Amino acid sequence: MNNRFYGELILLLIACLVALPLQFIPKLKENKKVEIIFGLVVFAVFGIYKAI
């Protein structure tokens, strides 16, 4: 496996760790704005990483 695979794996793990509060904190779970912003940030980070 190459270094790019490990970089993507690390990004995925970071995204999962950041998403955990969205699942376990009720105020954040009910807030749709937080979910949308999180989704956009994750797509932006992965998009920038893929473009490099």
Side-chain angles (χ1 to χ4, degrees):
M1 291 189 232
N2 57 17
N3 290 336
R4 189 152 180 108
F5 172 76
Y6 293 123
E8 290 177 6
L9 185 62
I10 289 170
L11 278 177
L12 181 64
L13 290 174
I14 291 171
C16 290
L17 287 174
V18 172
L20 283 176
L22 291 175
Q23 295 300 318
F24 295 113
I25 298 176
K27 282 187 179 181
L28 291 178
K29 195 173 185 179
E30 294 172 1
N31 193 346
K32 295 295 179 189
K33 286 182 186 177
V34 173
E35 290 182 18
I36 292 170
I37 291 171
F38 174 76
L40 290 175
V41 168
V42 169
F43 283 124
V45 168
F46 278 105
I48 291 169
Y49 182 76
K50 289 287 188 182
I52 292 177

mmCIF file of all heavy atoms in Angstrom:
data_model
loop_
_atom_site.group_PDB
_atom_site.id
_atom_site.type_symbol
_atom_site.label_atom_id
_atom_site.label_comp_id
_atom_site.label_asym_id
_atom_site.label_seq_id
_atom_site.Cartn_x
_atom_site.Cartn_y
_atom_site.Cartn_z
ATOM 1 N N MET A 1 0.843 -1.187 0.000
ATOM 2 C CA MET A 1 0.000 0.000 0.000
ATOM 3 C C MET A 1 0.886 1.248 0.000
ATOM 4 O O MET A 1 1.980 1.232 0.535
ATOM 5 C CB MET A 1 -0.899 -0.007 1.219
ATOM 6 C CG MET A 1 -1.959 -1.083 1.171
ATOM 7 S SD MET A 1 -3.118 -0.856 2.493
ATOM 8 C CE MET A 1 -3.067 -2.493 3.180
ATOM 9 N N ASN A 2 0.358 2.297 -0.564
ATOM 10 C CA ASN A 2 1.157 3.504 -0.665
ATOM 11 C C ASN A 2 0.788 4.521 0.409
ATOM 12 O O ASN A 2 -0.140 4.336 1.186
ATOM 13 C CB ASN A 2 1.012 4.120 -2.053
ATOM 14 C CG ASN A 2 -0.428 4.424 -2.387
ATOM 15 O OD1 ASN A 2 -1.274 4.475 -1.515
ATOM 16 N ND2 ASN A 2 -0.716 4.644 -3.649
ATOM 17 N N ASN A 3 1.550 5.600 0.435
ATOM 18 C CA ASN A 3 1.341 6.635 1.448
ATOM 19 C C ASN A 3 0.017 7.359 1.271
ATOM 20 O O ASN A 3 -0.561 7.842 2.235
ATOM 21 C CB ASN A 3 2.488 7.645 1.412
ATOM 22 C CG ASN A 3 3.768 7.036 1.923
ATOM 23 O OD1 ASN A 3 3.739 6.078 2.691
ATOM 24 N ND2 ASN A 3 4.891 7.581 1.498
ATOM 25 N N ARG A 4 -0.469 7.447 0.035
ATOM 26 C CA ARG A 4 -1.741 8.140 -0.210
ATOM 27 C C ARG A 4 -2.898 7.416 0.482
ATOM 28 O O ARG A 4 -3.798 8.050 1.033
ATOM 29 C CB ARG A 4 -2.000 8.241 -1.706
ATOM 30 C CG ARG A 4 -3.182 9.120 -2.026
ATOM 31 C CD ARG A 4 -3.015 9.750 -3.395
ATOM 32 N NE ARG A 4 -4.140 10.572 -3.687
ATOM 33 C CZ ARG A 4 -4.096 11.889 -3.704
ATOM 34 N NH1 ARG A 4 -2.968 12.503 -3.455
ATOM 35 N NH2 ARG A 4 -5.171 12.592 -3.976
ATOM 36 N N PHE A 5 -2.854 6.089 0.479
ATOM 37 C CA PHE A 5 -3.894 5.314 1.154
ATOM 38 C C PHE A 5 -3.907 5.631 2.641
ATOM 39 O O PHE A 5 -4.959 5.823 3.238
ATOM 40 C CB PHE A 5 -3.656 3.816 0.934
ATOM 41 C CG PHE A 5 -4.569 2.950 1.751
ATOM 42 C CD1 PHE A 5 -5.890 2.788 1.395
ATOM 43 C CD2 PHE A 5 -4.105 2.321 2.886
ATOM 44 C CE1 PHE A 5 -6.741 2.002 2.154
ATOM 45 C CE2 PHE A 5 -4.936 1.535 3.645
ATOM 46 C CZ PHE A 5 -6.254 1.369 3.282
ATOM 47 N N TYR A 6 -2.726 5.692 3.250
ATOM 48 C CA TYR A 6 -2.651 5.986 4.677
ATOM 49 C C TYR A 6 -3.116 7.408 4.976
ATOM 50 O O TYR A 6 -3.749 7.655 6.002
ATOM 51 C CB TYR A 6 -1.231 5.766 5.193
ATOM 52 C CG TYR A 6 -0.829 4.306 5.161
ATOM 53 C CD1 TYR A 6 0.286 3.898 4.461
ATOM 54 C CD2 TYR A 6 -1.579 3.355 5.822
ATOM 55 C CE1 TYR A 6 0.653 2.566 4.419
ATOM 56 C CE2 TYR A 6 -1.235 2.020 5.792
ATOM 57 C CZ TYR A 6 -0.107 1.630 5.090
ATOM 58 O OH TYR A 6 0.232 0.313 5.051
ATOM 59 N N GLY A 7 -2.831 8.341 4.094
ATOM 60 C CA GLY A 7 -3.301 9.708 4.272
ATOM 61 C C GLY A 7 -4.817 9.782 4.235
ATOM 62 O O GLY A 7 -5.440 10.464 5.048
ATOM 63 N N GLU A 8 -5.428 9.067 3.292
ATOM 64 C CA GLU A 8 -6.894 9.040 3.206
ATOM 65 C C GLU A 8 -7.498 8.342 4.414
ATOM 66 O O GLU A 8 -8.543 8.761 4.920
ATOM 67 C CB GLU A 8 -7.323 8.352 1.921
ATOM 68 C CG GLU A 8 -7.011 9.158 0.688
ATOM 69 C CD GLU A 8 -7.380 8.440 -0.597
ATOM 70 O OE1 GLU A 8 -7.987 7.357 -0.527
ATOM 71 O OE2 GLU A 8 -7.058 8.973 -1.668
ATOM 72 N N LEU A 9 -6.852 7.304 4.882
ATOM 73 C CA LEU A 9 -7.340 6.595 6.061
ATOM 74 C C LEU A 9 -7.294 7.499 7.287
ATOM 75 O O LEU A 9 -8.245 7.525 8.078
ATOM 76 C CB LEU A 9 -6.509 5.336 6.291
ATOM 77 C CG LEU A 9 -6.953 4.424 7.421
ATOM 78 C CD1 LEU A 9 -8.347 3.886 7.141
ATOM 79 C CD2 LEU A 9 -5.970 3.284 7.588
ATOM 80 N N ILE A 10 -6.232 8.264 7.425
ATOM 81 C CA ILE A 10 -6.123 9.190 8.553
ATOM 82 C C ILE A 10 -7.194 10.270 8.458
ATOM 83 O O ILE A 10 -7.826 10.615 9.461
ATOM 84 C CB ILE A 10 -4.708 9.804 8.608
ATOM 85 C CG1 ILE A 10 -3.707 8.733 9.045
ATOM 86 C CG2 ILE A 10 -4.660 10.995 9.556
ATOM 87 C CD1 ILE A 10 -2.265 9.141 8.920
ATOM 88 N N LEU A 11 -7.448 10.798 7.250
ATOM 89 C CA LEU A 11 -8.517 11.795 7.085
ATOM 90 C C LEU A 11 -9.876 11.218 7.461
ATOM 91 O O LEU A 11 -10.688 11.890 8.100
ATOM 92 C CB LEU A 11 -8.556 12.292 5.643
ATOM 93 C CG LEU A 11 -7.572 13.378 5.267
ATOM 94 C CD1 LEU A 11 -7.690 13.691 3.791
ATOM 95 C CD2 LEU A 11 -7.801 14.617 6.086
ATOM 96 N N LEU A 12 -10.132 9.987 7.069
ATOM 97 C CA LEU A 12 -11.397 9.348 7.404
ATOM 98 C C LEU A 12 -11.540 9.166 8.910
ATOM 99 O O LEU A 12 -12.602 9.422 9.473
ATOM 100 C CB LEU A 12 -11.509 7.997 6.689
ATOM 101 C CG LEU A 12 -12.795 7.234 6.924
ATOM 102 C CD1 LEU A 12 -13.981 8.008 6.368
ATOM 103 C CD2 LEU A 12 -12.730 5.867 6.293
ATOM 104 N N LEU A 13 -10.484 8.750 9.568
ATOM 105 C CA LEU A 13 -10.531 8.575 11.019
ATOM 106 C C LEU A 13 -10.759 9.906 11.732
ATOM 107 O O LEU A 13 -11.534 9.978 12.686
ATOM 108 C CB LEU A 13 -9.249 7.920 11.513
ATOM 109 C CG LEU A 13 -9.078 6.456 11.134
ATOM 110 C CD1 LEU A 13 -7.699 5.974 11.552
ATOM 111 C CD2 LEU A 13 -10.159 5.605 11.760
ATOM 112 N N ILE A 14 -10.120 10.969 11.254
ATOM 113 C CA ILE A 14 -10.323 12.291 11.858
ATOM 114 C C ILE A 14 -11.764 12.744 11.670
ATOM 115 O O ILE A 14 -12.395 13.264 12.587
ATOM 116 C CB ILE A 14 -9.327 13.307 11.271
ATOM 117 C CG1 ILE A 14 -7.915 12.981 11.745
ATOM 118 C CG2 ILE A 14 -9.709 14.730 11.653
ATOM 119 C CD1 ILE A 14 -6.835 13.781 11.061
ATOM 120 N N ALA A 15 -12.301 12.523 10.465
ATOM 121 C CA ALA A 15 -13.698 12.901 10.205
ATOM 122 C C ALA A 15 -14.650 12.126 11.111
ATOM 123 O O ALA A 15 -15.622 12.690 11.625
ATOM 124 C CB ALA A 15 -14.043 12.660 8.742
ATOM 125 N N CYS A 16 -14.370 10.850 11.328
ATOM 126 C CA CYS A 16 -15.218 10.046 12.214
ATOM 127 C C CYS A 16 -15.131 10.538 13.657
ATOM 128 O O CYS A 16 -16.143 10.596 14.358
ATOM 129 C CB CYS A 16 -14.823 8.580 12.136
ATOM 130 S SG CYS A 16 -15.258 7.819 10.571
ATOM 131 N N LEU A 17 -13.929 10.879 14.105
ATOM 132 C CA LEU A 17 -13.779 11.376 15.472
ATOM 133 C C LEU A 17 -14.479 12.718 15.667
ATOM 134 O O LEU A 17 -15.046 12.977 16.722
ATOM 135 C CB LEU A 17 -12.296 11.507 15.822
ATOM 136 C CG LEU A 17 -11.560 10.194 16.046
ATOM 137 C CD1 LEU A 17 -10.077 10.454 16.240
ATOM 138 C CD2 LEU A 17 -12.128 9.458 17.232
ATOM 139 N N VAL A 18 -14.459 13.564 14.651
ATOM 140 C CA VAL A 18 -15.146 14.851 14.749
ATOM 141 C C VAL A 18 -16.662 14.651 14.705
ATOM 142 O O VAL A 18 -17.414 15.394 15.319
ATOM 143 C CB VAL A 18 -14.673 15.794 13.621
ATOM 144 C CG1 VAL A 18 -15.488 17.064 13.567
ATOM 145 C CG2 VAL A 18 -13.198 16.123 13.810
ATOM 146 N N ALA A 19 -17.118 13.624 14.001
ATOM 147 C CA ALA A 19 -18.555 13.381 13.865
ATOM 148 C C ALA A 19 -19.167 12.746 15.116
ATOM 149 O O ALA A 19 -20.389 12.790 15.285
ATOM 150 C CB ALA A 19 -18.820 12.478 12.661
ATOM 151 N N LEU A 20 -18.364 12.163 15.978
ATOM 152 C CA LEU A 20 -18.910 11.516 17.175
ATOM 153 C C LEU A 20 -19.759 12.451 18.036
ATOM 154 O O LEU A 20 -20.834 12.052 18.482
ATOM 155 C CB LEU A 20 -17.787 10.892 18.001
ATOM 156 C CG LEU A 20 -17.256 9.577 17.459
ATOM 157 C CD1 LEU A 20 -16.075 9.116 18.304
ATOM 158 C CD2 LEU A 20 -18.320 8.518 17.418
ATOM 159 N N PRO A 21 -19.323 13.692 18.292
ATOM 160 C CA PRO A 21 -20.189 14.573 19.094
ATOM 161 C C PRO A 21 -21.544 14.826 18.448
ATOM 162 O O PRO A 21 -22.526 15.055 19.154
ATOM 163 C CB PRO A 21 -19.387 15.876 19.193
ATOM 164 C CG PRO A 21 -17.986 15.479 18.977
ATOM 165 C CD PRO A 21 -18.030 14.308 18.050
ATOM 166 N N LEU A 22 -21.607 14.789 17.118
ATOM 167 C CA LEU A 22 -22.894 14.990 16.457
ATOM 168 C C LEU A 22 -23.883 13.883 16.819
ATOM 169 O O LEU A 22 -25.089 14.104 16.824
ATOM 170 C CB LEU A 22 -22.723 15.033 14.938
ATOM 171 C CG LEU A 22 -22.001 16.245 14.372
ATOM 172 C CD1 LEU A 22 -21.818 16.075 12.873
ATOM 173 C CD2 LEU A 22 -22.761 17.509 14.675
ATOM 174 N N GLN A 23 -23.389 12.708 17.128
ATOM 175 C CA GLN A 23 -24.265 11.594 17.443
ATOM 176 C C GLN A 23 -24.622 11.520 18.924
ATOM 177 O O GLN A 23 -25.680 11.027 19.287
ATOM 178 C CB GLN A 23 -23.601 10.283 17.018
ATOM 179 C CG GLN A 23 -23.417 10.162 15.535
ATOM 180 C CD GLN A 23 -24.733 10.219 14.791
ATOM 181 O OE1 GLN A 23 -25.712 9.621 15.206
ATOM 182 N NE2 GLN A 23 -24.758 10.962 13.705
ATOM 183 N N PHE A 24 -23.732 11.988 19.788
ATOM 184 C CA PHE A 24 -23.923 11.762 21.215
ATOM 185 C C PHE A 24 -24.317 12.993 22.019
ATOM 186 O O PHE A 24 -24.630 12.885 23.193
ATOM 187 C CB PHE A 24 -22.664 11.137 21.819
ATOM 188 C CG PHE A 24 -22.393 9.768 21.269
ATOM 189 C CD1 PHE A 24 -21.287 9.533 20.483
ATOM 190 C CD2 PHE A 24 -23.262 8.723 21.507
ATOM 191 C CE1 PHE A 24 -21.036 8.285 19.957
ATOM 192 C CE2 PHE A 24 -23.027 7.459 20.992
ATOM 193 C CZ PHE A 24 -21.914 7.239 20.219
ATOM 194 N N ILE A 25 -24.293 14.176 21.428
ATOM 195 C CA ILE A 25 -24.746 15.379 22.119
ATOM 196 C C ILE A 25 -26.100 15.762 21.528
ATOM 197 O O ILE A 25 -26.195 16.128 20.356
ATOM 198 C CB ILE A 25 -23.726 16.526 21.962
ATOM 199 C CG1 ILE A 25 -22.393 16.116 22.590
ATOM 200 C CG2 ILE A 25 -24.266 17.795 22.609
ATOM 201 C CD1 ILE A 25 -21.293 17.133 22.396
ATOM 202 N N PRO A 26 -27.151 15.645 22.314
ATOM 203 C CA PRO A 26 -28.514 15.858 21.785
ATOM 204 C C PRO A 26 -28.732 17.221 21.130
ATOM 205 O O PRO A 26 -29.417 17.310 20.121
ATOM 206 C CB PRO A 26 -29.407 15.715 23.016
ATOM 207 C CG PRO A 26 -28.613 14.913 23.981
ATOM 208 C CD PRO A 26 -27.171 15.255 23.716
ATOM 209 N N LYS A 27 -28.156 18.291 21.697
ATOM 210 C CA LYS A 27 -28.361 19.618 21.101
ATOM 211 C C LYS A 27 -27.767 19.689 19.700
ATOM 212 O O LYS A 27 -28.333 20.309 18.812
ATOM 213 C CB LYS A 27 -27.737 20.700 21.974
ATOM 214 C CG LYS A 27 -28.551 21.046 23.177
ATOM 215 C CD LYS A 27 -27.955 22.234 23.910
ATOM 216 C CE LYS A 27 -28.799 22.601 25.103
ATOM 217 N NZ LYS A 27 -28.268 23.759 25.818
ATOM 218 N N LEU A 28 -26.613 19.075 19.501
ATOM 219 C CA LEU A 28 -25.994 19.080 18.180
ATOM 220 C C LEU A 28 -26.737 18.164 17.216
ATOM 221 O O LEU A 28 -26.809 18.434 16.028
ATOM 222 C CB LEU A 28 -24.524 18.651 18.268
ATOM 223 C CG LEU A 28 -23.580 19.626 18.946
ATOM 224 C CD1 LEU A 28 -22.175 19.040 18.993
ATOM 225 C CD2 LEU A 28 -23.573 20.957 18.241
ATOM 226 N N LYS A 29 -27.282 17.078 17.746
ATOM 227 C CA LYS A 29 -27.995 16.125 16.894
ATOM 228 C C LYS A 29 -29.261 16.748 16.316
ATOM 229 O O LYS A 29 -29.641 16.460 15.184
ATOM 230 C CB LYS A 29 -28.334 14.880 17.709
ATOM 231 C CG LYS A 29 -28.740 13.702 16.884
ATOM 232 C CD LYS A 29 -28.882 12.471 17.752
ATOM 233 C CE LYS A 29 -29.178 11.270 16.910
ATOM 234 N NZ LYS A 29 -29.291 10.051 17.684
ATOM 235 N N GLU A 30 -29.898 17.620 17.075
ATOM 236 C CA GLU A 30 -31.142 18.252 16.619
ATOM 237 C C GLU A 30 -30.878 19.425 15.673
ATOM 238 O O GLU A 30 -31.751 19.819 14.928
ATOM 239 C CB GLU A 30 -31.933 18.750 17.835
ATOM 240 C CG GLU A 30 -32.434 17.637 18.717
ATOM 241 C CD GLU A 30 -33.037 18.147 20.007
ATOM 242 O OE1 GLU A 30 -33.082 19.382 20.208
ATOM 243 O OE2 GLU A 30 -33.457 17.319 20.823
ATOM 244 N N ASN A 31 -29.674 19.979 15.712
ATOM 245 C CA ASN A 31 -29.353 21.169 14.924
ATOM 246 C C ASN A 31 -28.953 20.759 13.510
ATOM 247 O O ASN A 31 -27.891 20.180 13.297
ATOM 248 C CB ASN A 31 -28.234 21.945 15.604
ATOM 249 C CG ASN A 31 -28.074 23.325 15.033
ATOM 250 O OD1 ASN A 31 -28.610 23.621 13.973
ATOM 251 N ND2 ASN A 31 -27.329 24.165 15.727
ATOM 252 N N LYS A 32 -29.786 21.058 12.538
ATOM 253 C CA LYS A 32 -29.516 20.691 11.144
ATOM 254 C C LYS A 32 -28.391 21.527 10.544
ATOM 255 O O LYS A 32 -27.677 21.055 9.674
ATOM 256 C CB LYS A 32 -30.777 20.838 10.294
ATOM 257 C CG LYS A 32 -31.877 19.885 10.698
ATOM 258 C CD LYS A 32 -31.456 18.452 10.457
ATOM 259 C CE LYS A 32 -32.562 17.518 10.897
ATOM 260 N NZ LYS A 32 -32.162 16.143 10.890
ATOM 261 N N LYS A 33 -28.224 22.768 11.013
ATOM 262 C CA LYS A 33 -27.155 23.615 10.495
ATOM 263 C C LYS A 33 -25.791 22.987 10.776
ATOM 264 O O LYS A 33 -24.903 23.023 9.929
ATOM 265 C CB LYS A 33 -27.207 25.001 11.123
ATOM 266 C CG LYS A 33 -28.317 25.862 10.621
ATOM 267 C CD LYS A 33 -28.238 27.227 11.270
ATOM 268 C CE LYS A 33 -29.420 28.072 10.910
ATOM 269 N NZ LYS A 33 -29.395 29.375 11.596
ATOM 270 N N VAL A 34 -25.613 22.432 11.969
ATOM 271 C CA VAL A 34 -24.338 21.822 12.336
ATOM 272 C C VAL A 34 -24.056 20.632 11.427
ATOM 273 O O VAL A 34 -22.929 20.449 10.960
ATOM 274 C CB VAL A 34 -24.343 21.393 13.824
ATOM 275 C CG1 VAL A 34 -23.093 20.594 14.169
ATOM 276 C CG2 VAL A 34 -24.467 22.604 14.729
ATOM 277 N N GLU A 35 -25.066 19.823 11.156
ATOM 278 C CA GLU A 35 -24.889 18.659 10.278
ATOM 279 C C GLU A 35 -24.514 19.088 8.862
ATOM 280 O O GLU A 35 -23.634 18.492 8.239
ATOM 281 C CB GLU A 35 -26.155 17.818 10.251
ATOM 282 C CG GLU A 35 -26.427 17.085 11.544
ATOM 283 C CD GLU A 35 -27.677 16.221 11.465
ATOM 284 O OE1 GLU A 35 -28.131 15.927 10.350
ATOM 285 O OE2 GLU A 35 -28.194 15.851 12.527
ATOM 286 N N ILE A 36 -25.165 20.117 8.351
ATOM 287 C CA ILE A 36 -24.879 20.586 6.994
ATOM 288 C C ILE A 36 -23.469 21.159 6.914
ATOM 289 O O ILE A 36 -22.718 20.857 5.981
ATOM 290 C CB ILE A 36 -25.934 21.626 6.555
ATOM 291 C CG1 ILE A 36 -27.295 20.935 6.382
ATOM 292 C CG2 ILE A 36 -25.513 22.324 5.271
ATOM 293 C CD1 ILE A 36 -28.447 21.885 6.186
ATOM 294 N N ILE A 37 -23.100 21.967 7.897
ATOM 295 C CA ILE A 37 -21.758 22.553 7.900
ATOM 296 C C ILE A 37 -20.704 21.464 8.009
ATOM 297 O O ILE A 37 -19.691 21.490 7.312
ATOM 298 C CB ILE A 37 -21.621 23.585 9.041
ATOM 299 C CG1 ILE A 37 -22.488 24.807 8.733
ATOM 300 C CG2 ILE A 37 -20.169 23.984 9.251
ATOM 301 C CD1 ILE A 37 -22.608 25.782 9.867
ATOM 302 N N PHE A 38 -20.931 20.479 8.862
ATOM 303 C CA PHE A 38 -19.979 19.385 8.996
ATOM 304 C C PHE A 38 -19.835 18.627 7.687
ATOM 305 O O PHE A 38 -18.727 18.305 7.254
ATOM 306 C CB PHE A 38 -20.411 18.424 10.113
ATOM 307 C CG PHE A 38 -19.541 17.210 10.191
ATOM 308 C CD1 PHE A 38 -18.275 17.290 10.739
ATOM 309 C CD2 PHE A 38 -19.982 15.989 9.708
ATOM 310 C CE1 PHE A 38 -17.461 16.179 10.795
ATOM 311 C CE2 PHE A 38 -19.177 14.870 9.764
ATOM 312 C CZ PHE A 38 -17.910 14.957 10.312
ATOM 313 N N GLY A 39 -20.941 18.342 7.037
ATOM 314 C CA GLY A 39 -20.898 17.640 5.758
ATOM 315 C C GLY A 39 -20.135 18.409 4.699
ATOM 316 O O GLY A 39 -19.328 17.851 3.963
ATOM 317 N N LEU A 40 -20.375 19.719 4.625
ATOM 318 C CA LEU A 40 -19.665 20.553 3.656
ATOM 319 C C LEU A 40 -18.168 20.599 3.941
ATOM 320 O O LEU A 40 -17.354 20.537 3.019
ATOM 321 C CB LEU A 40 -20.243 21.963 3.656
ATOM 322 C CG LEU A 40 -21.652 22.103 3.069
ATOM 323 C CD1 LEU A 40 -22.149 23.528 3.251
ATOM 324 C CD2 LEU A 40 -21.660 21.699 1.618
ATOM 325 N N VAL A 41 -17.816 20.684 5.206
ATOM 326 C CA VAL A 41 -16.390 20.725 5.565
ATOM 327 C C VAL A 41 -15.714 19.410 5.207
ATOM 328 O O VAL A 41 -14.610 19.402 4.655
ATOM 329 C CB VAL A 41 -16.223 21.061 7.061
ATOM 330 C CG1 VAL A 41 -14.783 20.827 7.518
ATOM 331 C CG2 VAL A 41 -16.640 22.481 7.341
ATOM 332 N N VAL A 42 -16.364 18.294 5.481
ATOM 333 C CA VAL A 42 -15.785 16.990 5.158
ATOM 334 C C VAL A 42 -15.606 16.844 3.652
ATOM 335 O O VAL A 42 -14.539 16.428 3.188
ATOM 336 C CB VAL A 42 -16.654 15.840 5.724
ATOM 337 C CG1 VAL A 42 -16.217 14.502 5.164
ATOM 338 C CG2 VAL A 42 -16.578 15.829 7.233
ATOM 339 N N PHE A 43 -16.619 17.209 2.878
ATOM 340 C CA PHE A 43 -16.493 17.122 1.420
ATOM 341 C C PHE A 43 -15.400 18.052 0.900
ATOM 342 O O PHE A 43 -14.659 17.702 -0.016
ATOM 343 C CB PHE A 43 -17.819 17.431 0.738
ATOM 344 C CG PHE A 43 -18.788 16.289 0.793
ATOM 345 C CD1 PHE A 43 -20.045 16.467 1.337
ATOM 346 C CD2 PHE A 43 -18.449 15.044 0.305
ATOM 347 C CE1 PHE A 43 -20.945 15.413 1.393
ATOM 348 C CE2 PHE A 43 -19.334 13.984 0.344
ATOM 349 C CZ PHE A 43 -20.587 14.166 0.898
ATOM 350 N N ALA A 44 -15.285 19.245 1.481
ATOM 351 C CA ALA A 44 -14.252 20.187 1.052
ATOM 352 C C ALA A 44 -12.863 19.643 1.349
ATOM 353 O O ALA A 44 -11.964 19.712 0.499
ATOM 354 C CB ALA A 44 -14.453 21.529 1.733
ATOM 355 N N VAL A 45 -12.672 19.082 2.535
ATOM 356 C CA VAL A 45 -11.357 18.551 2.914
ATOM 357 C C VAL A 45 -10.981 17.388 1.991
ATOM 358 O O VAL A 45 -9.858 17.331 1.478
ATOM 359 C CB VAL A 45 -11.331 18.124 4.392
ATOM 360 C CG1 VAL A 45 -10.098 17.308 4.705
ATOM 361 C CG2 VAL A 45 -11.406 19.343 5.276
ATOM 362 N N PHE A 46 -11.906 16.463 1.778
ATOM 363 C CA PHE A 46 -11.601 15.331 0.904
ATOM 364 C C PHE A 46 -11.408 15.793 -0.534
ATOM 365 O O PHE A 46 -10.566 15.269 -1.250
ATOM 366 C CB PHE A 46 -12.696 14.264 0.990
ATOM 367 C CG PHE A 46 -12.539 13.350 2.167
ATOM 368 C CD1 PHE A 46 -13.354 13.478 3.274
ATOM 369 C CD2 PHE A 46 -11.577 12.362 2.169
ATOM 370 C CE1 PHE A 46 -13.210 12.646 4.369
ATOM 371 C CE2 PHE A 46 -11.414 11.524 3.251
ATOM 372 C CZ PHE A 46 -12.240 11.661 4.358
ATOM 373 N N GLY A 47 -12.159 16.779 -0.977
ATOM 374 C CA GLY A 47 -12.005 17.302 -2.329
ATOM 375 C C GLY A 47 -10.656 17.966 -2.530
ATOM 376 O O GLY A 47 -9.981 17.744 -3.546
ATOM 377 N N ILE A 48 -10.240 18.756 -1.565
ATOM 378 C CA ILE A 48 -8.929 19.404 -1.653
ATOM 379 C C ILE A 48 -7.821 18.354 -1.609
ATOM 380 O O ILE A 48 -6.843 18.429 -2.346
ATOM 381 C CB ILE A 48 -8.765 20.444 -0.525
ATOM 382 C CG1 ILE A 48 -9.701 21.609 -0.769
ATOM 383 C CG2 ILE A 48 -7.318 20.924 -0.438
ATOM 384 C CD1 ILE A 48 -9.818 22.567 0.402
ATOM 385 N N TYR A 49 -7.990 17.363 -0.753
ATOM 386 C CA TYR A 49 -6.966 16.311 -0.642
ATOM 387 C C TYR A 49 -6.841 15.539 -1.954
ATOM 388 O O TYR A 49 -5.740 15.220 -2.391
ATOM 389 C CB TYR A 49 -7.330 15.367 0.506
ATOM 390 C CG TYR A 49 -6.288 14.293 0.712
ATOM 391 C CD1 TYR A 49 -5.085 14.598 1.346
ATOM 392 C CD2 TYR A 49 -6.505 12.994 0.298
ATOM 393 C CE1 TYR A 49 -4.126 13.626 1.546
ATOM 394 C CE2 TYR A 49 -5.544 12.017 0.486
ATOM 395 C CZ TYR A 49 -4.367 12.339 1.119
ATOM 396 O OH TYR A 49 -3.416 11.371 1.302
ATOM 397 N N LYS A 50 -7.966 15.240 -2.594
ATOM 398 C CA LYS A 50 -7.945 14.511 -3.862
ATOM 399 C C LYS A 50 -7.343 15.351 -4.981
ATOM 400 O O LYS A 50 -6.721 14.826 -5.901
ATOM 401 C CB LYS A 50 -9.350 14.078 -4.263
ATOM 402 C CG LYS A 50 -9.915 12.990 -3.422
ATOM 403 C CD LYS A 50 -9.239 11.700 -3.756
ATOM 404 C CE LYS A 50 -9.962 10.570 -3.047
ATOM 405 N NZ LYS A 50 -9.354 9.306 -3.274
ATOM 406 N N ALA A 51 -7.537 16.683 -4.923
ATOM 407 C CA ALA A 51 -7.031 17.552 -5.986
ATOM 408 C C ALA A 51 -5.518 17.710 -5.922
ATOM 409 O O ALA A 51 -4.885 18.004 -6.924
ATOM 410 C CB ALA A 51 -7.693 18.926 -5.877
ATOM 411 N N ILE A 52 -4.954 17.489 -4.746
ATOM 412 C CA ILE A 52 -3.497 17.667 -4.590
ATOM 413 C C ILE A 52 -2.741 16.508 -5.163
ATOM 414 O O ILE A 52 -2.930 15.461 -5.295
ATOM 415 C CB ILE A 52 -3.132 17.878 -3.108
ATOM 416 C CG1 ILE A 52 -3.677 19.205 -2.646
ATOM 417 C CG2 ILE A 52 -1.637 17.808 -2.899
ATOM 418 C CD1 ILE A 52 -3.460 19.497 -1.190
#
